[in-house]
C-alpha cells in the first residue's frame, strides 16, 4: 500500500486530475487550487531568484523579506512597539503563518530583541522542505503544522506575509439559469477548462448580488475566512496584535483574480498543476468583517508603501547606507521595490489587528 501511495505522489498531478474528472465529472476550482498548491509547496523550491535571476537557488517568486532586511526589521519594530505600549505582557509568542525560509522571522526577531522583546518563536508550516530551511534561519523556533498546537495562553504577536493569497478560492458565476459554482473539466484535447456546475448556488450568494447580470463572477475564500476567524478569536481571548500582508483589495469587486506564476512569469492557471504557484487577491474588506465578528480590533488596512514609509523605511535605508556606502544603490533599489506605487507599494496591503484592549497601531490611519 505504501508503494502505491508513493507512486501516486510521484505521478503528474495533471494526469491524476484527468482520471478523477473522467471517473466522477468536473471538480471544483477550489479543489483544483487546493491540491495544486499542496503539491507545489511540498515539492518545489518556491522562493528565489529563478533560473533567469542570476542565482542558482531556483524559485518561482520572491517575497518582500527576501528583497531587503528592512522589511522584517520594520515588522519586528511594529510588534515591539505594540507590545511595549500594551504593557509588556508576558508570556508572549511570535507566530508566523507560512514563514517561507524563515527570513522574516529572523529579521523580526533581531529587531524585537533590540527593543527588549524576546518572544517564543512559533512557525506554522506544512512543507517539510520549508521547515528545514526555517530552522536554519531561526534555530530556536517551535514548528507547528497548524494553529491548533500554538499555545492558548499568553499574548500572541502574529504575522502572515503572502499567506492568504495561496489559500484556495471558490468562484460562483451567474448563468442564464442562475448562480453556479465554477468547476474544472477537460475538453476533447485533454486540456483543463472552466465549466459551470449543475447544482444551483443562489442561496450562497448575498441577496444584494443575486440579480447581477449573467457572466458576473464572485470570488470568495472560505479557507482565508477560517484562518481569520481563528486568529481574531485568539486575539480577543489572549490579547496581542497581528499583521496580514498580501496583495489584494479593500473594497468589494467582481471577477476572477486567479493567477499562476512559474519562474517569475505568469502562466495559465491550468497549465502546470502542482508545478506553479496559484494565487488570488485577498478581499481585505471581507477579512475585516470576519475579524470584527470575533471582537478583535481592526486597526486599519493601508498600502504596503504607506505603511513602510510611515514606519521609517527611508530613514532605515539611509542608516544602512551610511554604514555600508558601497551598498547604497542596492539598498535604495530594494526600498523602492517595496514602496513604489508601480512596484509592490500599492498592490500589496497591510492589515493590522489587535486585542480589544490593545492600543492603535503605528502606520495605520487610526494610529
Amino acid at each position: 500500500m505504501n508503494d502505491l501511495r508513493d507512486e501516486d505522489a510521484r505521478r503528474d498531478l495533471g494526469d491524476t486530475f484527468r482520471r478523477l474528472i473522467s471517473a466522477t465529472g468536473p471538480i471544483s476550482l477550489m479543489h483544483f487550487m487546493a491540491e495544486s498548491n499542496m503539491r507545489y509547496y511540498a515539492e518545489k523550491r518556491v522562493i528565489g531568484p529563478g533560473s533567469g535571476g542570476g542565482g542558482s537557488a531556483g524559485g518561482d517568486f520572491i517575497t518582500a523579506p527576501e528583497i531587503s532586511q528592512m522589511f522584517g526589521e520594520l515588522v519586528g519594530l511594529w510588534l515591539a512597539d505594540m507590545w511595549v505600549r500594551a504593557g509588556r505582557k508576558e508570556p508572549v509568542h511570535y507566530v508566523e503563518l507560512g514563514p517561507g525560509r524563515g527570513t522574516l522571522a529572523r529579521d523580526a526577531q533581531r529587531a524585537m530583541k533590540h527593543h527588549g522583546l524576546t518572544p517564543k518563536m512559533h512557525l506554522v508550516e506544512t512543507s517539510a522542505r520549508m521547515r528545514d530551511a526555517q530552522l536554519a534561519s531561526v534555530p530556536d523556533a517551535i514548528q507547528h503544522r497548524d494553529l491548533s498546537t500554538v499555545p492558548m495562553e499568553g499574548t500572541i504577536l502574529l504575522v502572515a506575509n503572502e499567506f492568504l493569497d495561496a489559500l484556495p478560492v471558490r468562484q460562483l458565476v451567474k448563468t442564464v439559469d442562475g448562480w453556479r459554482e465554477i468547476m474544472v473539466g477537460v475538453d476533447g484535447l485533454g486540456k483543463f477548462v472552466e465549466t459551470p456546475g449543475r447544482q444551483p448556488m443562489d442561496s450562497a450568494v448575498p441577496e444584494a448580488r443575486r440579480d447581477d447580470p449573467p457572466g458576473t463572477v464572485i470570488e470568495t475564500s472560505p479557507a482565508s475566512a477560517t484562518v481569520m476567524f481563528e486568529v481574531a478569536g485568539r486575539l480577543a481571548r489572549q490579547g496581542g496584535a497581528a499583521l496580514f500582508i498580501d496583495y489584494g483589495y479593500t473594497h468589494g469587486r467582481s471577477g476572477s483574480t486567479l493567477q499562476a506564476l512559474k519562474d517569475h512569469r505568469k502562466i495559465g492557471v491550468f497549465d502546470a498543476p502542482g508545478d506553479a504557484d496559484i494565487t488570488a487577491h485577498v478581499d481585505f474588506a471581507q477579512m475585516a468583517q470576519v475579524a470584527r465578528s470575533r471582537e478583535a480590533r481592526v486597526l486599519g488596512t493601508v498600502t504596503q508603501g504607506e505603511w513602510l514609509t510611515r514606519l521609517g523605511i527611508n530613514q532605515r535605508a539611509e542608516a544602512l547606507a551610511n554604514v555600508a556606502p558601497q551598498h547604497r544603490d542596492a539598498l535604495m533599489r530594494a526600498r523602492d521595490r517595496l514602496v513604489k506605487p508601480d512596484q509592490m507599494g500599492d498592490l500589496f496591503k497591510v492589515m493590522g489587528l489587535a486585542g480589544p484592549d490593545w492600543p492603535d497601531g503605528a502606520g495605520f490611519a487610526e494610529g
Side-chain angles (χ1 to χ4, degrees), residues 29 110 144 164 306:
L29 180 64
R110 185 175 63 250
H144 308 264
L164 295 179
E306 289 178 294

Side-chain angles (χ1 to χ4, degrees), residues 36-326:
S36 296
N37 279 352
M38 185 181 301
R39 173 75 65 89
Y40 174 73
Y41 282 99
E43 298 184 0
K44 289 276 288 180
R45 181 173 290 161
V46 300
I47 301 173
S51 58
S56 59
D60 294 316
F61 58 87
I62 191 164
T63 60
E66 306 290 337
I67 292 171
S68 172
Q69 69 183 68
M70 294 182 287
F71 184 85
E73 289 172 346
L74 291 176
V75 167
L77 176 65
W78 187 89
L79 295 173
D81 175 67
M82 290 291 287
W83 176 74
V84 169
R85 289 189 293 117
R88 300 177 181 267
K89 300 177 184 294
E90 296 280 358
V92 57
H93 306 279
Y94 172 94
V95 182
E96 187 171 343
L97 308 181
R101 298 195 295 207
T103 305
L104 170 55
R106 180 195 64 205
D107 293 339
Q109 184 181 40
R110 185 175 63 250
M112 290 186 292
K113 185 176 181 179
H114 184 72
H115 292 276
L117 172 57
T118 56
K120 291 285 182 65
M121 303 293 287
H122 300 270
L123 305 181
V124 181
E125 178 63 67
T126 58
S127 168
R129 186 168 192 164
M130 287 292 192
R131 286 160 72 95
D132 292 341
Q134 290 156 16
L135 284 181
S137 295
V138 191
D140 60 338
I142 303 167
Q143 295 182 308
H144 308 264
R145 291 189 61 82
D146 56 52
L147 273 170
S148 66
T149 55
V150 173
M152 300 289 287
E153 301 80 27
T155 296
I156 61 168
L157 302 172
L158 184 141
V159 180
N161 179 63
E162 291 198 53
F163 174 75
L164 295 179
D165 66 281
L167 298 182
V169 297
R170 180 191 212 184
Q171 290 184 351
L172 303 178
V173 60
K174 179 68 174 295
T175 72
V176 294
D177 298 317
W179 289 94
R180 300 290 188 271
E181 183 170 4
I182 292 179
M183 311 292 283
V184 179
V186 177
D187 67 11
L189 299 176
K191 293 183 178 181
F192 296 111
V193 293
E194 292 183 359
T195 182
R198 297 180 179 179
Q199 184 72 25
M201 298 296 294
D202 298 70
S203 61
V205 176
E207 191 169 346
R209 301 294 305 275
R210 290 180 187 173
D211 291 331
D212 284 2
T216 301
V217 172
I218 295 177
E219 187 176 85
T220 63
S221 178
S224 295
T226 298
V227 170
M228 188 62 61
F229 188 86
E230 171 67 13
V231 171
R234 279 177 170 259
L235 291 175
R237 182 173 59 251
Q238 296 176 239
L243 291 171
F244 284 87
I245 307 169
D246 230 313
Y247 56 88
Y249 49 94
T250 57
H251 301 285
R253 53 170 292 175
S254 300
S256 173
T257 68
L258 277 180
Q259 66 175 27
L261 282 178
K262 183 175 173 59
D263 198 18
H264 297 260
R265 296 180 179 86
K266 288 186 178 181
I267 65 172
V269 171
F270 303 131
D271 287 356
D275 201 37
D277 183 36
I278 304 177
T279 61
H281 288 216
V282 176
D283 183 346
F284 282 100
Q286 178 62 33
M287 295 301 100
Q289 287 184 5
V290 174
R292 291 189 181 100
S293 76
R294 297 284 275 167
E295 300 184 352
R297 292 193 64 209
V298 178
L299 305 176
T301 302
V302 298
T303 67
Q304 178 175 291
E306 289 178 294
W307 190 76
L308 291 173
T309 300
R310 291 170 183 172
L311 261 66
I313 193 171
N314 291 324
Q315 294 87 336
R316 181 57 178 156
E318 285 294 337
L320 290 172
N322 289 336
V323 173
Q326 71 275 23

